Amino acid sequence: MDFALPWPTSQGEWLAWSSAVLTVLLGLLFFLAPGLAFRALRLQVKPEKAAAIAEGRGRMSGFYLGVGLCCILLAQPLIYMALGFSWLFTAFGRLLSMMSDGANTPFNWVSIVLELVLAALPLAFAFGFLP
């Protein structure tokens, strides 16, 4: 069985692929430099809770890398749909926090816009809105 890296062939697939690449880059940031990633997200690890870094390296980077790489390596619409819905639920969780937890900050507004864009690109391709 031959393995070839599927290269995007349409504009919609390029946009979905771009969302997957950005997801992988975020995953690599959490995997290789979790302290920097936490600072970028305005999170702080307490010195007595240094095991929290494992959450960045494990749970956060693992999810981003796993889903993003699956999209890039397999290039299937259903996997792009999983990526899109993952980002959509991330945005929904942030919106819920903004409404109920008092987290209505400019950083969260910028983040939610970015998350919605990262959700819309693969979903538009998976549902056939982009050729």
Side-chain angles (χ1 to χ4, degrees), residues 6 13 16-17 19-21 24 65-84 122:
E13 193 172 3
W17 184 84
S19 179
V21 167
V24 168
L65 288 171
V67 175
L69 285 174
C70 281
C71 287
I72 292 169
L73 296 176
L74 301 175
Q76 298 295 313
L78 289 176
I79 298 175
Y80 280 119
M81 192 181 298
L83 176 67

Side-chain angles (χ1 to χ4, degrees), residues 2-71:
D2 293 332
F3 180 78
L5 182 66
W7 203 245
T9 57
S10 67
Q11 178 186 4
E13 193 172 3
W14 271 108
L15 293 172
W17 184 84
S18 299
S19 179
V21 167
L22 189 55
T23 302
V24 168
L25 292 175
L26 288 171
L28 285 172
L29 180 64
F30 274 107
F31 188 72
L32 299 173
L36 178 63
F38 283 145
R39 279 193 299 278
L41 292 176
R42 299 178 180 185
L43 300 173
Q44 184 176 2
V45 177
K46 294 181 180 178
E48 65 272 10
K49 302 283 185 183
I53 294 289
E55 289 299 310
R57 284 189 203 263
R59 188 178 317 225
M60 296 169 89
S61 75
F63 179 78
Y64 289 158
L65 288 171
V67 175
L69 285 174
C70 281
C71 287

